[in-house]
Amino acid sequence: MAVNQLLNNIDDDKKQSSKIVKTDEGAKDGQNKCPQCGATDISVNARTGRLRCNFCRHEFDPEKIKGMETDISQLEGEIIGSGTQDIIEDTQNILTFKCSSCGAEVVIDTQNSTTARCHWCRNTLSVNQQIPNGAIPDVVLPFHLTKEEAREQIESFVGKRKFFAHPKFREEFTTENIMGVYFPYMIVDINSHARFSGQGEHEVRRYTRGSGDNRRTYYDADLYEVEREFDLTIDGLTVESSSDKLQKNSSKTNNIINSIMPFDIENSVKYNANYLNGYTSEKRDTNIDQLRPLVDEQSKDIARFAANETLKEYDRGVNWQREELDVKGKQWKTAYLPVWLYSYQQKKGENSLLHYVAVNARTKETMGSVPIHMPKLFGISVLVELVGFIAYLLIRDFDYRFIFLFAGIIYFFIMYLRYRNSNARHHHETETKKNISNIRKVDKLIQHKRGLSNSKMSGANNNKVSGQSLSESVLNSLKS
Ligand SMILES: [Zn+2]
Ligand SMILES: [Zn+2]
């Protein structure tokens, strides 16, 4: 098999030249008053996604951040939102404010929250200016799904998965205590140039030879030398930025939360603590350099799948021998994105597994993991296996009758995945917004191949996805 050469991005030494854009311009700590009536009790109206004064019902126009590049094809060097700068370890998380109404001292622990009520006069105080502990992102995407709507989504998801659900879970399941959580993400825009070269195969003919048990299918194919070169912009590649959610093989079903991406991040607004009222949030605890390897891998995946859109003729696949992605410009910002979350702790002897059902509070996309009653699933799978075996004995004139011998095993895995969704993930390679332009193509016929026995090109790698999780070494550095 050909060596797959991955030339590295050229952005490693651009770090010194990165430009910081201040995204909390004009943000004010302390009391944020309604311009209409002066009340400080303000929260998001999930129906409109706008902030609303809970006293006079006045709604606010959302503010957008200024100064970041909006035309990605013009991006050069590295641009970083001020809320995305490295976390400084010994930053004070506890901030104390003097209430401007009554003079009392109000403490806000930014580790858990960015607002607090003055215990004397009941006014709300909030932290909107960025502090270098990762608690204040550049932007926030407001909740746009009410708790009731989220409960319906979760109940319908679990309702379709009751038969094999663990009896204890069935008994304890209730959506009363679901939580609205803002999870931290890193959003990256990339302006790049991609170059691929290798070989591809196009099927010309398929036919069978021999008879009876020796009957086989053969293929004729044309082998081409293939090259693709194009400009590529990637708009809003999104990765998790809390080390807990980046751990994909832990005691939590984090893949569930990952799989409800993408979000309509283009509707994100400038951070304001009032968007968080009534919800919880999780603080970012990773920096750009720790996420860089994952972002690099994912952008290469996006480039590879962008190239695939120009390769429809190569139905037997393409083997890239050389893949290059030159990054001309990159822009990073941090965001809080809204998720409704149901969680259930399943005890398994010493160990336990935290199952989630998560709802994207913008798009309603729902995914979950439901604990399985294994004895029941085993039992029914054995029955299916028996029926399959009888079918195997009775049905004679079917080429693939051996499949009946695996009926129970296949049934088991289909049901297991339907309940646990342990393979669910965000398909960044196809679900991220991108644009390709200035395409240059080379398709040169090299050889007519005849009588091939494999239906796909051997060594085809144009559908490879590599950026699925952080490397072990980076994960370990996050744990410590
Ligand atoms: Zn008001
Ligand atoms: Zn007060």
Side-chain angles (χ1 to χ4, degrees):
M1 196 162 90
V3 181
N4 193 17
Q5 254 182 310
L6 291 169
L7 292 195
N8 253 328
N9 298 353
I10 53 164
D11 61 348
D12 282 348
D13 28 334
K14 281 193 186 152
K15 243 196 118 185
Q16 297 95 324
S17 63
S18 44
K19 178 184 147 201
I20 313 278
V21 174
K22 192 165 161 54
T23 55
D24 64 346
E25 200 68 67
K28 214 165 95 315
D29 287 344
Q31 289 191 6
N32 276 222
K33 289 184 178 162
C34 166
Q36 202 105 306
C37 73
T40 56
D41 183 10
I42 297 163
S43 60
V44 68
N45 173 3
R47 301 225 170 269
T48 61
R50 300 166 85 200
L51 285 179
R52 181 179 57 190
C53 170
N54 292 323
F55 191 74
C56 76
R57 306 266 137 184
H58 173 67
E59 289 207 3
F60 302 74
D61 280 325
E63 264 187 89
K64 292 274 182 180
I65 54 166
K66 294 186 192 90
M68 299 206 80
E69 184 59 64
T70 46
D71 181 356
I72 301 168
S73 67
Q74 298 301 312
L75 263 181
E76 266 177 46
E78 195 160 59
I79 300 178
I80 296 173
S82 51
T84 312
Q85 296 174 84
D86 284 359
I87 292 165
I88 299 170
E89 280 311 327
D90 51 7
T91 305
Q92 183 68 260
N93 291 322
I94 312 272
L95 300 179
T96 309
F97 295 95
K98 206 175 207 86
C99 174
S100 53
S101 297
C102 70
E105 297 223 313
V106 180
V107 170
I108 301 180
D109 179 0
T110 59
Q111 189 79 6
N112 307 308
S113 170
T114 51
T115 57
R117 275 206 173 180
C118 170
H119 44 274
W120 293 110
C121 70
R122 310 293 296 156
N123 272 304
T124 305
L125 279 77
S126 53
V127 183
N128 291 312
Q129 287 173 23
Q130 287 159 0
I131 28 175
N133 68 349
I136 313 284
D138 295 307
V139 293
V140 55
L141 187 59
F143 268 78
H144 205 341
L145 204 62
T146 61
K147 185 175 182 180
E148 286 62 44
E149 289 169 317
R151 287 180 68 174
E152 270 172 41
Q153 289 293 116
I154 294 170
E155 278 160 18
S156 132
F157 184 92
V158 172
K160 290 175 192 151
R161 290 164 180 80
K162 278 272 166 78
F163 188 71
F164 289 121
H166 198 280
K168 199 161 170 353
F169 168 82
R170 283 211 292 202
E171 192 184 305
E172 292 170 359
F173 174 72
T174 163
T175 56
E176 247 160 69
N177 301 322
I178 62 166
M179 288 221 293
V181 189
Y182 282 103
F183 284 119
Y185 294 82
M186 195 77 87
I187 297 174
V188 196
D189 300 320
I190 297 160
N191 181 22
S192 65
H193 184 78
R195 264 190 303 269
F196 293 86
S197 59
Q199 296 184 334
E201 283 184 5
H202 168 68
E203 184 180 307
V204 181
R205 200 162 78 92
R206 72 168 74 186
Y207 46 93
T208 52
R209 273 190 203 143
S211 56
D213 281 352
N214 287 321
R215 205 171 66 187
R216 290 242 172 81
T217 306
Y218 291 92
Y219 307 85
D220 289 353
D222 285 346
L223 179 70
Y224 285 82
E225 183 191 310
V226 188
E227 279 177 41
R228 292 290 182 269
E229 192 174 341
F230 49 86
D231 291 329
L232 172 72
T233 55
I234 300 174
D235 185 352
L237 171 61
T238 308
V239 293
E240 283 133 341
S241 64
S242 88
S243 52
D244 177 68
K245 294 293 166 295
L246 285 160
Q247 321 274 351
K248 293 284 149 53
N249 298 312
S250 62
S251 54
K252 303 170 183 174
T253 57
N254 282 330
N255 70 303
I256 297 297
I257 300 172
N258 178 267
S259 73
I260 59 166
M261 287 200 262
F263 289 82
D264 56 330
I265 45 174
E266 63 276 14
N267 293 315
S268 300
V269 298
K270 181 179 167 184
Y271 180 82
N272 180 311
N274 288 323
Y275 282 108
L276 272 60
N277 275 341
Y279 304 103
T280 59
S281 59
E282 193 174 297
K283 201 165 79 60
R284 164 172 77 98
D285 63 355
T286 57
N287 291 323
I288 288 178
D289 281 343
Q290 290 160 318
L291 298 172
R292 208 180 277 280
L294 182 65
V295 167
D296 288 351
E297 285 301 315
Q298 293 201 349
S299 17
K300 281 174 192 159
D301 290 340
I302 292 166
R304 199 176 303 117
F305 277 74
N308 278 347
E309 289 169 15
T310 71
L311 298 167
K312 302 274 190 266
E313 280 297 294
Y314 299 101
D315 45 6
R316 287 174 52 85
V318 175
N319 170 242
W320 292 128
Q321 276 131 23
R322 209 179 161 89
E323 302 183 328
E324 292 170 41
L325 188 68
D326 292 341
V327 175
K328 290 184 268 185
K330 213 178 218 174
Q331 173 167 271
W332 303 76
K333 57 177 181 271
T334 44
Y336 272 156
L337 305 181
V339 177
W340 281 105
L341 202 61
Y342 165 82
S343 55
Y344 181 82
Q345 186 98 39
Q346 184 186 22
K347 294 253 181 297
K348 289 173 159 178
E350 292 280 281
N351 303 319
S352 67
L353 180 63
L354 192 58
H355 295 266
Y356 291 124
V357 182
V359 184
N360 181 318
R362 301 287 303 189
T363 64
K364 276 194 176 185
E365 186 170 340
T366 306
M367 186 42 77
S369 168
V370 172
I372 298 176
H373 190 212
M374 279 302 181
K376 188 168 179 180
L377 179 55
F378 271 126
I380 305 266
S381 300
V382 167
L383 279 182
V384 172
E385 186 67 40
L386 280 174
V387 173
F389 185 67
I390 294 165
Y392 176 78
L393 295 178
L394 294 179
I395 301 169
R396 292 262 158 206
D397 53 351
F398 176 52
D399 278 357
Y400 302 100
R401 59 194 266 268
F402 66 87
I403 283 201
F404 290 122
L405 289 177
F406 301 102
I409 297 163
I410 294 168
Y411 181 82
F412 179 89
F413 280 108
I414 289 175
M415 284 303 146
Y416 183 86
L417 288 181
R418 184 173 155 71
Y419 279 67
R420 291 275 287 99
N421 288 299
S422 47
N423 59 342
R425 69 171 179 92
H426 166 50
H427 292 267
H428 61 272
E429 69 279 15
T430 51
E431 292 177 332
T432 308
K433 276 195 203 158
K434 61 174 183 289
N435 187 49
I436 59 178
S437 55
N438 300 326
I439 307 176
R440 191 184 64 82
K441 297 179 186 178
V442 173
D443 303 90
K444 213 166 76 190
L445 181 67
I446 310 174
Q447 193 194 339
H448 298 293
K449 291 176 149 186
R450 298 196 194 288
L452 302 163
S453 56
N454 45 346
S455 65
K456 292 283 168 206
M457 182 183 187
S458 70
N461 57 6
N462 60 310
N463 283 312
K464 186 183 75 178
V465 180
S466 48
Q468 294 193 36
S469 61
L470 276 179
S471 67
E472 281 303 314
S473 59
V474 179
L475 280 176
N476 289 336
S477 79
L478 292 177
K479 274 180 210 164
S480 57

